[in-house]
Amino acid sequence: MSSKISRRKFLETGAIAAAGLTVVPSSVLGKSMGYKAPSDKLNIAAVGVGGMGNSNLNQLQSENIIGLCDVDWKYSKRVFDKYPNAKKYYDYRKMYDELGKSIDGVVVATADHTHAIIAADAMTMGKHVYVQKPLTHSVYESRLLTKLAAKHKVATSMGNQGSSGPGVRQVIDWIRDGQIGEVTRVEAFTDRPIWPQGLMTPKKADKVPSTLNWDLFIGPANKRPFNEIYHPWNWRGWWDFGTGALGDMACHILHPVFKGLNLGYPTKVQGSSTMLLTDCAPNAQMVKYVFPQRDNLPKVAMPEVEVTWYDGGLTPMRPEGVPAGKNLNDQGGGVIFYGTKDILICGCYGVNPWLVSGRTPNSPKTQREVTLSHEMDWVRACKESPENRVETASPFSEAGPFNEMVVMGVLAVRLQALNQELHWDGENMKFTNIPSDATVRTIIEDGFKITDGHPTFDKTWTEPVNAIAYAEEMIKHTYKNGWKLPDMP
């Protein structure tokens, strides 16, 4: 469309064409109306740039990177050097204060426990957000980001990049075409953790590096002395900061399950694991979710389904018909869909789906093809008006409820000492069958030693705490140290 066309002429003759556009050039509608032309560059600020944030920024170099924030300037130095024109910050709040009027979108790739507050503060300012997986650290935080995204009409995406890939689309197409029949059981696994887990809380405090702001890393979590075991990267295994292998990888591996089977809130859950310690995720765990019957699709019914998760080296039993010697771990994990007609298997990120029968169905395509990178598809959505926006492959309207499922599985593992299947009221974010007088306690130290040639344990336990209160705190964290989330819309 020529930029010389008059506004009146456009409005009179371009209504039909405009209905098919997702972006109307700002030269026509005017920047004052909030529209951004496709040729305009997005002004992006990033929080947490030393690790995955750097990978995200590598995909966003066509845009204007105007602000970089990280609590560790040594870890992030190579990224700061890569974008010399971007202003550097330790505290994202200061960056928002100083650059807020210029920022269009924010990339969040910090430790899990600070995803929610950084993204929520950005959305309440009207900024688009891209947040690394897991979307949040808790169920309540996921619900909050979902509702804030809807309220402020911003473009959103969780960083589960497989959702933009062809494998996920193929899985969904085959399921919706009825190629594997009704699915009543799914098993999924990852080869993670590949970071230390199953650890007792370190007793010694290390000197905080001069380039690290440890208080800002702690953020809304409980204060604790710095130890080199927590940072960088290994924070994933510590409950206050991360969500273990389940939170890290299920957002990749279970996405085709959640989307392909139209899952919502589970109704039942059970967890089990190797030794469960107070502060650190276990070495290996299993979680079984039960999802109720959903509305049938035109070509296939959606009955109640059990979804079982394995990590830490545990894997499902091999289905009959899978060739001997074939490794089902594809790029870090795998999924097995047991249908009444066939068995569908795919890898992590939904890659390389195949049917055990050997068939390759030619099913109708039902999903939008993403031709850009996962990050640049978010940029595309940011540049579209809310009224005409084509959502990303993992918008918070989907990623939020999905992430609730993932982190609720963490609760099942941490509540396993109750020795019962837990019933979940997803709408109200609470377990409904924990006895009012039930208590839980966890192991502080295992006290392992060899006595007269025999291995022994002299475990140190926490004091018993009310199980309902314990669960409620994990569902909705009490923010510490003066940090506060925006109110739920």
Side-chain angles (χ1 to χ4, degrees):
M1 181 182 298
S2 170
S3 60
K4 295 181 181 179
I5 187 172
S6 72
R7 182 188 300 245
R8 180 176 179 181
K9 185 68 174 177
F10 171 81
L11 292 175
E12 289 176 349
T13 65
I16 295 175
L21 292 175
T22 54
V23 188
V24 180
S26 58
S27 58
V28 175
L29 292 179
K31 293 181 182 292
S32 62
M33 296 181 68
Y35 290 87
K36 183 178 287 289
S39 59
D40 290 346
K41 292 186 176 183
L42 212 64
N43 287 337
I44 293 174
V47 189
V49 300
M52 274 305 299
N54 180 39
S55 298
N56 297 141
L57 289 171
N58 284 340
Q59 297 295 324
L60 297 169
Q61 293 189 52
S62 62
E63 307 306 299
N64 292 328
I65 311 302
I66 66 169
L68 299 173
C69 178
D70 201 289
V71 298
D72 187 342
W73 281 24
K74 179 180 178 182
Y75 189 52
S76 304
K77 183 180 184 302
R78 73 192 191 286
V79 187
F80 291 155
D81 291 345
K82 192 185 300 184
Y83 305 97
N85 294 327
K87 292 196 69 173
K88 299 182 296 184
Y89 298 87
Y90 276 107
D91 192 331
Y92 82 90
R93 295 169 298 183
K94 184 177 180 183
M95 181 172 73
Y96 286 2
D97 286 343
E98 293 187 1
L99 300 182
K101 292 182 179 180
S102 302
I103 295 171
D104 295 314
V106 178
V107 174
V108 182
T110 57
D112 299 351
H113 72 298
T114 51
H115 283 186
I117 193 166
I118 297 168
D121 285 351
M123 285 193 285
T124 57
M125 296 169 61
K127 310 305 180 185
H128 308 293
V129 287
Y130 179 105
V131 182
Q132 262 305 327
K133 51 79 209 167
L135 184 64
T136 69
H137 195 257
S138 73
V139 171
Y140 177 87
E141 292 170 344
S142 295
R143 186 75 57 89
L144 175 66
L145 294 198
T146 303
K147 292 195 171 186
L148 286 175
K151 176 182 178 180
H152 296 285
K153 299 181 179 180
V154 291
T156 59
S157 182
M158 179 167 72
N160 55 330
Q161 64 269 26
S163 61
S164 288
V168 170
R169 297 194 291 271
Q170 183 72 87
V171 168
I172 295 170
D173 290 343
W174 284 350
I175 290 174
R176 294 189 178 181
D177 196 34
Q179 291 293 335
I180 65 171
E182 297 179 1
V183 177
T184 58
R185 178 163 65 104
V186 178
E187 296 185 306
F189 70 97
T190 182
D191 57 13
R192 268 57 164 186
I194 52 176
W195 52 86
Q197 285 193 185
L199 303 176
M200 290 175 284
T201 308
K203 293 183 177 180
K204 77 181 184 75
D206 291 328
K207 182 179 178 181
V208 179
S210 61
T211 54
L212 171 66
N213 189 318
W214 180 239
D215 286 341
L216 287 176
F217 179 92
I218 291 285
N222 294 306
K223 289 199 176 219
R224 67 173 67 210
F226 172 73
N227 187 283
E228 292 174 354
I229 203 168
Y230 301 131
H231 172 80
W233 203 64
N234 290 338
W235 51 261
R236 288 199 177 280
W238 297 91
W239 290 132
D240 272 3
F241 311 133
T243 45
L246 178 63
D248 181 55
M249 294 303 292
C251 291
H252 291 310
I253 294 170
L254 291 181
H255 181 254
V257 182
F258 187 84
K259 190 164 186 176
L261 297 179
N262 285 356
L263 300 181
Y265 302 132
T267 52
K268 301 173 185 177
V269 67
Q270 295 182 62
S272 67
S273 72
T274 52
M275 185 183 293
L276 186 64
L277 296 164
T278 300
D279 264 355
C280 197
N283 286 315
Q285 58 192 4
M286 293 174 54
V287 178
K288 185 181 82 170
Y289 302 89
V290 178
F291 293 87
Q293 180 178 346
R294 285 88 60 219
D295 291 342
N296 293 340
L297 298 180
K299 294 184 179 180
V300 66
M302 291 279 144
E304 180 181 89
V305 59
E306 290 185 358
V307 178
T308 305
W309 169 266
Y310 306 80
D311 64 44
L314 302 177
T315 58
M317 296 297 105
R318 298 169 65 81
E320 184 178 348
V322 172
K326 184 174 180 63
N327 188 353
L328 300 185
N329 183 345
D330 193 347
Q331 299 188 31
V335 185
I336 307 169
F337 295 83
Y338 289 89
T340 53
K341 295 181 181 178
D342 212 329
I343 297 173
L344 190 163
I345 299 176
C346 66
C348 182
Y349 318 104
V351 299
N352 304 321
W354 57 284
L355 302 183
V356 171
S357 66
R359 297 183 300 117
T360 303
N362 184 22
S363 297
K365 295 185 183 299
T366 63
Q367 305 299 299
R368 177 179 70 93
E369 183 176 357
V370 180
T371 57
L372 304 168
S373 70
H374 193 58
E375 292 87 349
M376 285 304 295
D377 194 53
W378 167 68
V379 169
R380 172 206 50 80
C382 294
K383 294 179 180 181
E384 295 174 356
S385 70
E387 297 77 15
N388 294 298
R389 179 176 296 138
V390 175
E391 290 286 9
T392 64
S394 193
F396 291 1
S397 56
E398 176 189 300
F402 174 34
N403 200 76
E404 287 190 35
M405 164 201 171
V406 172
V407 293
M408 198 268 278
V410 173
L411 305 188
V413 170
R414 298 187 70 181
L415 291 166
Q416 63 183 280
L418 293 175
N419 297 311
Q420 65 176 103
E421 181 179 62
L422 297 169
H423 295 174
W424 179 246
D425 177 356
E427 195 65 37
N428 294 300
M429 297 182 284
K430 66 179 182 179
F431 293 109
T432 60
N433 67 331
I434 298 177
S436 59
D437 59 349
T439 60
V440 292
R441 57 182 187 153
T442 52
I443 299 168
I444 301 172
E445 295 184 14
D446 61 17
F448 175 77
K449 61 182 178 178
I450 304 296
T451 304
D452 296 330
H454 295 282
T456 60
F457 290 89
D458 183 15
K459 297 174 182 175
T460 303
W461 295 79
T462 60
E463 291 296 318
V465 297
N466 180 267
I468 294 177
Y470 185 70
E472 288 176 346
E473 175 59 32
M474 290 189 291
I475 293 165
K476 181 185 179 183
H477 302 323
T478 301
Y479 273 38
K480 316 291 198 313
N481 313 317
W483 296 82
K484 185 179 183 297
L485 284 169
D487 292 334
M488 181 77 74

